[in-house]
Amino acid sequence: MPKINAPTVAEHREQRRADLLTAATSLILRGRAFTVAEVATEVGLSRSAVYEYYSGAGDLVADVLVDELTDWADHLRAATAHQVEPADVVHAWVVSVLGYVADGRHALVRAAASIELPPTRRAEVQALHRELIAPLYEALVAMDAPEPGQLSAYVWGVVDAAINRIESGACSADVESAAVLNFVRGGLERV
């Protein structure tokens, strides 16, 4: 019987899963796809032991992304939760998204985007990505904006462009946030 390093088997399995996710995160941040064998080596397990938890590297990457996107969505909800006016929600959402990027936390999402996911897991990750935009969408609905889905996609496009500029080092997050907020505010005043 294998030795467990936790009070219960369930806690041992959860710790192993956390170790696998940490190893996968480290490999993702190195900027390339990886194999199950590489993850096993990072954790000090056999390759077959990793397969007890994951069907393959894509499934493991999907769990890393699910955890990260869930945390990010929670962060955005918390950042916008106490805002009363919809325009203030939009402002807090933009600042929070770009602050997340400036803090370097978006690097994991960016790096993992180039790794192929199993189709069912890709759909799960895409649903979580839509959850990131939910506070923005809800604010646009509260503003009685026409086509809030379309407008939230446009705002996301501007924010995504800002993300690329910040991550490339082309500008500071503060300067980019101010520019995005001015652009979005001006656009929303016209609807």
Side-chain angles (χ1 to χ4, degrees), residues 141-163:
V141 168
M143 294 170 85
D144 292 324
E147 302 293 332
Q150 180 186 49
L151 286 175
S152 61
Y154 291 165
V155 172
W156 178 258
V158 171
V159 168
D160 193 44
I163 289 170

Side-chain angles (χ1 to χ4, degrees), residues 33-108:
F34 56 84
T35 65
V36 169
E38 289 173 302
V39 174
T41 299
E42 287 275 323
V43 177
L45 295 173
S46 68
R47 193 176 78 205
S48 61
V50 176
Y51 285 115
E52 292 176 27
Y53 297 86
Y54 295 99
S55 63
D59 193 35
L60 181 52
V61 170
D63 262 9
V64 169
L65 280 172
V66 164
D67 286 355
E68 184 63 24
L69 290 172
T70 299
D71 288 348
W72 194 8
D74 291 346
H75 175 78
L76 292 173
R77 283 279 181 200
T80 58
H82 302 295
Q83 304 301 323
V84 176
E85 296 299 320
D88 294 337
V89 171
V90 173
H91 180 96
W93 183 86
V94 168
V95 169
S96 185
V97 168
L98 295 180
Y100 185 89
V101 172
D103 290 347
R105 292 177 286 174
H106 184 257
L108 176 62

